[in-house]
Amino acid sequence: ILNVEQSPQSLHVQEGDSTNFTCSFPSSNFYALHWYRWETAKSPEALFVMTLNGDEKKKGRISATLNTKEGYSYLYIKGSQPEDSATYLCAFRAGANNLFFGTGTRLTVIP
Amino acid sequence: DAGITQSPRHKVTETGTPVTLRCHQTENHRYMYWYRQDPGHGLRLIHYSYGVKDTDKGEVSDGYSVSRSKTEDFLLTLESATSSQTSVYFCAISFSGSVETQYFGPGTRLLVL
């Protein structure tokens, strides 16, 4: 069992604000880092998968960076909108098959 | 959306009874996974399959068994349900087991009384 930590656990931001949160994972045996977006009453939806140190991914207003040497990834949301309200999960892959999930950051965007 | 369905979507059962949850995919993906999701925990892997009749344990496999007799179906069985198995169960699939994204089903909410 590997420890994947996400912070903060939850946050509230005003519509239009930019925000970011962190995923920390073991820096050894790195294979891949996944980000998911999980809306209430739905299933997790894949955002990014990153494999290389220094990787940056972008999808619309959402972007992510990866530092495998120090074991962290940041997820950024630019100009938050109410529809961005969701729980954002990261998952660390140490081997070919197993993903270890963090408990998520619950984002609420206030109109 | 990936073609993944789970059945039943909701179930209430009593302690000691057997329960089987079904995951069905139409994507012909090789890998299938069962997770449980509980408050205060991330999604935790119960079992996974890397092909027909090929399965392996995840981090919380005690009290669960799985079977995969054909590519499209992955069954999760609680041989004798306990209250600690009350949870939301998610099935996921991936094309391969390496860095491929896992796609999740809609979940099954199980309550064991």
Side-chain angles (χ1 to χ4, degrees):
Chain A
I1 297 174
L2 299 176
N3 199 28
V4 179
E5 296 186 354
Q6 292 188 246
S7 63
Q9 279 191 319
S10 66
L11 76 161
H12 292 70
V13 300
Q14 291 292 136
E15 181 176 354
D17 287 351
S18 295
T19 187
N20 66 86
F21 19 93
T22 307
C23 173
S24 300
F25 52 86
S27 55
S28 58
N29 297 322
F30 179 85
Y31 212 81
L33 193 286
H34 298 246
W35 280 101
Y36 287 85
R37 180 173 179 274
W38 194 358
E39 290 183 74
T40 302
K42 295 187 177 180
S43 51
E45 171 195 351
L47 286 173
F48 308 114
V49 54
M50 297 185 286
T51 57
L52 298 175
N53 184 47
D55 246 358
E56 292 189 25
K57 299 276 186 174
K58 187 174 182 181
K59 187 176 183 179
R61 294 178 292 98
I62 304 176
S63 60
T65 60
L66 178 68
N67 184 322
T68 61
K69 296 186 187 306
E70 296 182 41
Y72 64 85
S73 175
Y74 293 137
L75 189 80
Y76 300 90
I77 302 178
K78 184 177 179 182
S80 302
Q81 299 297 308
E83 58 264 31
D84 295 329
S85 296
T87 296
Y88 291 84
L89 298 175
C90 70
F92 170 76
R93 187 187 294 276
N97 297 316
N98 287 8
L99 277 182
F100 294 91
F101 283 82
T103 52
T105 293
R106 182 184 291 272
L107 173 67
T108 303
V109 181
I110 304 164
Chain B
D1 290 344
I4 312 168
T5 57
Q6 293 184 229
S7 59
R9 294 292 312 281
H10 304 270
K11 186 169 182 68
V12 180
T13 191
E14 293 185 349
T15 298
T17 59
V19 176
T20 295
L21 309 182
R22 179 181 183 236
C23 177
H24 179 79
Q25 58 140 332
T26 58
E27 306 296 319
N28 201 35
H29 281 14
R30 181 180 171 194
Y31 284 76
M32 298 184 76
Y33 310 81
W34 277 108
Y35 290 90
R36 60 179 289 173
Q37 199 272 323
D38 305 291
H41 293 273
L43 289 160
R44 291 182 291 172
L45 183 65
I46 304 170
H47 283 277
Y48 68 96
S49 169
Y50 48 97
V52 173
K53 295 186 180 173
D54 292 323
T55 65
D56 206 348
K57 296 179 180 181
E59 63 178 295
V60 290
S61 59
D62 287 348
Y64 301 94
S65 62
V66 289
S67 65
R68 192 164 177 204
S69 59
K70 45 187 179 177
T71 300
E72 57 266 35
D73 288 326
F74 191 32
L75 303 180
L76 177 71
T77 297
L78 291 64
E79 301 289 347
S80 177
T82 66
S83 58
S84 65
Q85 293 176 310
T86 292
S87 187
V88 182
Y89 292 86
F90 285 93
C91 172
I93 66 173
S94 65
F95 182 72
S96 72
S98 58
V99 298
E100 290 285 328
T101 293
Q102 291 184 12
Y103 298 94
F104 286 82
T108 293
R109 189 173 293 273
L110 176 67
L111 174 61
V112 183
L113 299 175

